């Protein structure tokens, strides 16, 4: 992509950001390149999915009870292999792995922890609808002399040093933050490089869209129904919004980030703790949205303040344009009722 008259590769961009911090060792920059490599490999497979024997279920379910797809497993191993052997990472944890995966004995262990959802939007894989990869990077908190593990993974979202996602949509995009704004890159498949296409993304304070699986209406609490009803029909100062729901969090989130909007996956009677996962989905996207000027809450607390107790912990999620999230949080926290 041409930025002015210049093409800026993700490598150059990350390097220029790194130079702003003379104390930086370059390890985080290199880890981000490792994630880019995984993104390119997954993108190549996703783009050819209908032509190869990679669609369909793999035959097992993950720890949350979701049926694993072949591409889920391929993406899971691709990310792990891309970051595990470089000496930059000590442990990874993924939606598709039951337990944390420390780097194998004998391999150098680095100072970073990578948490990820390898292929978000699993139910959309087989029908050629946008899907994504979400990643979250923390610093290790345990001593380097002992093996890294669960304690390194169970950190509050506000401790993240980087987070982002890759969207396999009409083009492949990588969007990330290291706490210095949010920047988006589009993969140019002809040269195999991510090029800066969306510098300094900011999200509008009030959105055009609301995104929620409204078929869950009868399973929601009255306050959730009231919030969604307000976005649908308007109420007081809340103007009615247009509905958009793809069913791939990354895709719904990305549209709302760019155009303004609010995504909700509240608790319901089938998912009393919410459906989405704190560490692999809600936490990293909360870091991105806050860096873009938006907000993310579970209804009572900022997502970034929640200290996880469990690796695969679920959370209700309300995320997007700041005024819309503030309205939802006001109603939900004032009228909080447990889901039965
Ligand atoms: P996944 O990570 O197994 O794909 O599950 C998460 C997905 C999200 O991408 C999406 O927002 C949500 O589940 C859709 O759920 P539902 O089909 O209940 O609306
Ligand atoms: Mg997911």
């Amino acid at each position: 992509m041409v930025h002015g008259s210049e093409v800026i590769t993700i490598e150059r961009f990350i390097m220029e950001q790194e130079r702003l911090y003379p104390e930086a060792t370059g390890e985080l920059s290199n880890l981000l390149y490792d994630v880019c490599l995984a993104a390119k490999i997954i993108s190549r497979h996703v783009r050819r999915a209908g032509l190869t024997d990679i669609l369909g279920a793999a035959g097992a379910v993950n720890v949350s009870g979701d049926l694993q797809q072949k591409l889920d497993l391929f993406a899971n191993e691709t990310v792990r292999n891309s970051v595990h052997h470089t000496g930059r990472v000590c442990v990874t944890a993924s939606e598709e792995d039951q337990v944390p995966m420390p780097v194998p004995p004998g391999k150098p262990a680095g100072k970073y922890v990578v948490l990820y959802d390898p292929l978000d939007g699993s139910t959309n894989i087989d029908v050629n609808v946008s899907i994504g990869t979400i990643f979250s990077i923390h610093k290790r908190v345990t001593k380097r002399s002992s093996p890294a593990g669960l304690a390194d993974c169970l950190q509050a979202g506000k401790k993240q040093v980087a987070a982002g996602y890759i969207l396999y949509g009409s083009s492949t995009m990588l969007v990330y933050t290291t706490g210095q704004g949010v920047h988006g890159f589009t993969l140019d498949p002809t040269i195999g490089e991510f090029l800066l296409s969306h510098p300094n993304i900011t999200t509008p304070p009030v959105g055009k869209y609301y995104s929620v699986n409204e078929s869950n209406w009868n399973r929601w609490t009255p306050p959730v129904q009231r919030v969604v009803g307000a976005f649908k029909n308007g109420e007081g100062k809340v103007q009615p919004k247009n509905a958009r729901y793809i069913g791939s969090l990354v895709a719904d989130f990305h549209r709302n980030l760019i155009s303004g909007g609010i995504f909700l996956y509240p608790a319901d009677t089938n998912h009393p703790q919410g459906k989405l996962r704190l560490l692999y989905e809600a936490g990293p996207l909360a870091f991105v949205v806050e860096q873009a000027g938006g907000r993310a809450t579970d209804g009572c607390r900022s997502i970034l303040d929640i200290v996880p107790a469990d690796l695969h912990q679920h959370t209700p999620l309300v995320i997007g344009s700041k005024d819309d999230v503030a309205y939802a949080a006001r109603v939900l926290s004032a009228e909080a009722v447990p889901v039965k």
Side-chain angles (χ1 to χ4, degrees):
M1 172 63 77
V2 175
H3 183 57
S5 59
E6 258 183 317
V7 169
I8 301 181
T9 63
I10 195 165
E11 184 168 1
R12 172 176 155 190
F13 186 88
I14 290 172
M15 207 178 287
E16 283 175 358
Q17 292 244 309
E18 185 194 310
R19 284 203 200 102
L20 301 174
Y21 300 88
E23 69 285 3
T25 62
E27 276 172 271
L28 181 61
S29 300
N30 286 326
L31 176 52
L32 291 168
Y33 306 149
D34 298 337
V35 172
C36 289
L37 174 66
K40 289 184 211 172
I41 297 172
I42 297 168
S43 179
R44 187 188 63 185
H45 269 69
V46 167
R47 296 292 171 218
R48 301 189 65 246
L51 304 172
T52 57
D53 182 28
I54 192 107
L55 292 180
V61 292
N62 67 14
V63 75
S64 299
D66 308 322
L67 188 62
Q68 289 177 316
Q69 305 293 310
K70 289 185 207 165
L71 261 176
D72 281 327
L73 299 183
F74 173 82
N76 192 33
E77 285 178 17
T78 300
V79 175
R80 194 191 313 126
N81 288 337
S82 301
V83 302
H84 252 205
H85 300 280
T86 57
R88 300 187 251 278
V89 164
C90 54
V91 63
T92 58
S94 150
E95 193 177 300
E96 305 300 342
D97 291 324
Q98 204 156 1
V99 292
M101 307 292 277
V103 296
K107 300 277 179 201
K111 66 177 177 199
Y112 289 109
V113 176
V114 177
L115 310 170
Y116 62 104
D117 178 353
L119 215 49
D120 175 66
S122 294
T123 57
N124 281 328
I125 294 174
D126 281 0
V127 289
N128 205 3
V129 172
S130 297
I131 48 182
T133 298
I134 310 173
F135 63 92
S136 161
I137 301 176
H138 284 267
K139 272 195 183 147
R140 144 173 224 176
V141 289
T142 57
K143 292 210 171 70
R144 288 186 92 151
S145 50
S146 54
L150 190 59
D152 297 299
C153 301
L154 297 183
Q155 300 189 53
K158 64 183 172 201
K159 298 277 179 61
Q160 290 172 101
V161 294
Y165 58 87
I166 299 105
L167 172 62
Y168 312 102
S170 45
S171 57
T172 295
M173 269 195 80
L174 188 149
V175 175
Y176 84 97
T177 183
T178 54
Q180 302 298 320
V182 178
H183 311 286
F185 302 80
T186 301
L187 181 63
D188 182 337
T190 62
I191 56 169
E193 286 283 3
F194 281 103
L195 304 179
L196 183 64
S197 52
H198 297 65
N200 291 311
I201 296 171
T202 54
T203 196
V206 178
K208 291 189 212 165
Y209 301 116
Y210 75 101
S211 312
V212 67
N213 185 340
E214 234 170 302
S215 69
N216 290 327
W217 182 276
N218 292 331
R219 292 188 275 270
W220 291 334
T221 61
V224 171
Q225 291 174 341
R226 190 175 143 207
V227 167
V228 175
F231 291 139
K232 186 188 174 96
N233 302 314
E235 182 193 280
K237 288 187 185 151
V238 180
Q239 293 295 312
K241 300 182 188 302
N242 227 335
R244 288 283 187 281
Y245 191 71
I246 296 167
S248 289
L249 173 63
V250 172
D252 281 308
F253 175 85
H254 182 73
R255 183 202 49 247
N256 292 347
L257 183 76
I258 302 295
S259 302
I262 184 164
F263 173 95
L264 307 96
Y265 210 115
D268 60 50
T269 51
N270 286 348
H271 307 98
Q273 310 303 323
K275 177 181 179 189
L276 299 173
R277 276 117 318 195
L278 178 61
L279 290 178
Y280 318 119
E281 292 165 325
L285 296 186
F287 189 18
V288 171
V289 89
E290 295 224 350
Q291 282 292 312
R295 294 285 179 274
T297 175
D298 69 352
C300 297
R301 296 166 291 180
S302 161
I303 291 289
L304 294 179
D305 286 338
I306 303 174
V307 180
D310 177 62
L311 195 58
H312 298 286
Q313 183 168 328
H314 293 241
T315 180
L317 177 63
V318 179
I319 190 166
S321 292
K322 99 175 153 42
D323 293 356
D324 296 326
V325 174
Y327 165 77
R330 255 197 320 276
V331 175
L332 297 175
S333 57
E335 303 176 22
V337 286
V339 176
K340 287 194 218 108

